[in-house]
Amino acid sequence: MTVLTWVAGVSLLAWVWLLLAQGFFWRTDVRLPAAGAEPAGGPGTWPVVAVVVPARDEAAVLPLSLPSLLAQEYPGRAEVFLIDDGSSDGTGDTARSLAALRGGLPLTVASPGELPAGWTGKLWGVRHGIALATERTGAEFLLLTDADIAHEPDSLRALVAAARTADLDMVSLMARLRVETVWERLIVPAFVYFFAQLYPFRWINRPGGRTAAAAGGCVLIRRSAVEAARVPESIRHAVIDDVALARAVKGGGGRIWLGLADRVDSVRPYPDLGELWRMVSRSAYAQLRHNPAVLAATVAGLVLVYLVPPLAALAGAAAGAPGLCAVGAAAWAVMAATYLPMLRYYRQPLWLAPLLPFTAALYLLMTVDSAVQHYRGRGAAWKGRTYARPDASV
């Protein structure tokens, strides 16, 4: 048991370090900055905003999301541009019908045309939407939001006010994902927890920091920052486009901010494990830069940090080794404690916290499966498309 006790001790030290030195990633108090004093003088003082929604086969979710965009209570001028990327389910017609029925902000539905080599579908749609919106409106700000994201009526107003108050070039909100089924409860809060552990929000929001990330479902960005960073052209091959966008903007000297959303929600259901598995595995290996060595290190890290504590605690209890049991239990307890704030944010029962090692094991398998699918030629597949490695398509 001596070796396992040492390994468990390393795991406990890792958790103490994560608790205190990883940007306090486990806290959930990074929310949209206070709007401050709003501009005086009426609608003319608010900047023009264009809302760009790339969509492919989204007819099922649009009735739950698009009306919320059209109903935005924004004091200035705002228009919505839905870019229908070759949908086969009547996405464009559904959008037009909703606009005719609900009214609200002006809606333009357009097609980006055939997808060129070297582009992901979403970014090709975003490119067309930005170009069209710029031509039609000359917008100062662009809200890039996914077709499955629903916004409260004051969402756009709050985003713009926050960006102007804090002089930010990009404001992004991690939309609250749907958590209704058993599998969603087990996997979804952990998805955001792991993301924050990898990209601590406080580090992202430091002007001089190197960490950069965004949440692609809700990104408000200045058009001047888009032009300065040459996006989306400069990141046209990126499967994880939100992180690539944030890196491009921050790398060009732009100020970015990312936080958890209170009034922006994803309406897309993930009713079973298979749907959630595909959501994670389609891009997990891309996150590791398709590098087998990084994959091996990631798997080893997940085992050490998430699986060793419960194994050590249970093995110590079974073998009558109190030292091993105590060290494993201590690491497991710290792990569970860091997960509690995210469970509270998602309004989930706190007894799920000790189950985090089980969820981490699922994510480990999803990551390995992502690599396997990549080498079988089926990696980074989404909406009927499979994307090659960046160096193979640029």
Side-chain angles (χ1 to χ4, degrees):
M1 291 295 177
T2 303
V3 174
L4 185 53
T5 302
W6 278 102
V7 174
V10 172
S11 182
L12 175 58
L13 290 175
W15 273 108
V16 172
W17 185 87
L18 287 169
L19 176 69
L20 301 176
Q22 187 66 8
F24 295 101
F25 75 94
W26 44 271
R27 294 180 58 171
T28 57
D29 56 349
V30 181
R31 307 292 176 92
L32 194 67
E38 295 187 350
T45 62
W46 287 81
V48 178
V49 180
V51 182
V52 177
V53 186
R56 179 175 169 85
D57 293 335
E58 298 286 13
V61 298
L62 280 181
L64 303 174
S65 60
L66 185 59
S68 73
L69 286 173
L70 300 176
Q72 285 300 297
E73 298 170 353
Y74 183 65
R77 178 188 173 194
E79 295 190 26
V80 180
F81 296 83
L82 186 138
I83 310 303
D84 181 8
D85 180 18
S87 298
S88 60
D89 66 347
T91 289
D93 291 337
T94 299
R96 294 185 188 93
S97 298
L98 289 168
L101 181 65
R102 305 294 182 92
L105 298 182
L107 172 70
T108 298
V109 178
S111 170
E114 192 67 25
L115 178 68
W119 284 82
T120 64
K122 178 179 177 179
L123 289 174
W124 179 240
V126 167
R127 176 190 180 278
H128 186 77
I130 290 175
L132 183 61
T134 299
E135 177 186 347
R136 296 274 186 89
T137 69
E140 180 181 341
F141 282 93
L142 300 159
L143 174 61
L144 311 180
T145 186
D146 289 346
D148 63 336
I149 301 298
H151 296 252
E152 291 295 323
D154 62 349
S155 173
L156 181 57
R157 181 179 190 144
L159 285 164
V160 173
R164 299 185 80 190
T165 300
D167 193 25
L168 297 167
D169 294 290
M170 189 170 82
V171 179
S172 181
L173 289 175
M174 179 73 70
R176 200 189 304 259
L177 305 176
R178 199 188 87 142
V179 180
E180 295 182 11
T181 68
V182 171
W183 286 112
E184 286 173 339
R185 290 190 172 95
L186 278 172
I187 292 176
V188 167
F191 177 83
V192 181
Y193 172 89
F194 292 142
F195 183 93
Q197 188 178 80
L198 189 61
Y199 302 104
F201 292 175
R202 284 173 171 78
W203 289 1
I204 292 168
N205 300 342
R206 289 193 311 217
R210 298 172 58 184
T211 305
C218 179
V219 177
L220 181 80
I221 185 169
R222 293 181 189 268
R223 187 161 58 89
S224 59
V226 168
E227 295 167 352
R230 297 183 300 106
V231 292
E233 285 81 1
S234 63
I235 59 169
R236 62 189 181 277
H237 57 266
V239 174
I240 308 175
D241 52 85
D242 43 14
V243 174
L245 173 62
R247 287 173 176 166
V249 173
K250 197 169 189 178
R255 295 189 61 194
I256 69 174
W257 186 92
L258 171 63
L260 293 173
D262 288 314
R263 300 170 69 75
V264 177
D265 300 282
S266 172
V267 297
R268 188 182 302 282
Y270 292 97
D272 54 45
L273 179 59
E275 292 288 334
L276 288 160
W277 193 288
R278 284 186 286 274
M279 178 190 76
V280 176
S281 65
R282 71 183 179 91
S283 61
Y285 197 42
Q287 179 69 60
L288 303 180
R289 303 187 297 278
H290 304 102
N291 188 319
V294 177
L295 173 66
T298 299
V299 170
L302 286 171
V303 170
L304 174 65
V305 174
Y306 288 99
L307 303 189
V308 166
L311 291 176
L314 297 175
L324 174 62
C325 181
V327 173
W332 195 358
V334 176
M335 179 200 313
T338 65
Y339 193 37
L340 292 175
M342 189 61 68
L343 289 174
R344 291 193 186 97
Y345 170 73
Y346 270 97
R347 307 182 186 96
Q348 296 304 302
L350 301 186
W351 58 260
L352 289 172
L355 299 182
L356 186 57
F358 172 74
T359 304
L362 289 177
Y363 273 89
L364 187 156
L365 294 175
M366 293 174 193
T367 302
V368 172
D369 180 58
S370 180
V372 170
Q373 296 305 317
H374 170 77
Y375 289 112
R376 287 180 175 177
R378 299 197 296 268
W382 191 244
K383 299 286 185 179
R385 290 171 174 150
T386 300
Y387 300 109
R389 291 179 58 170
D391 59 357
S393 61
V394 174

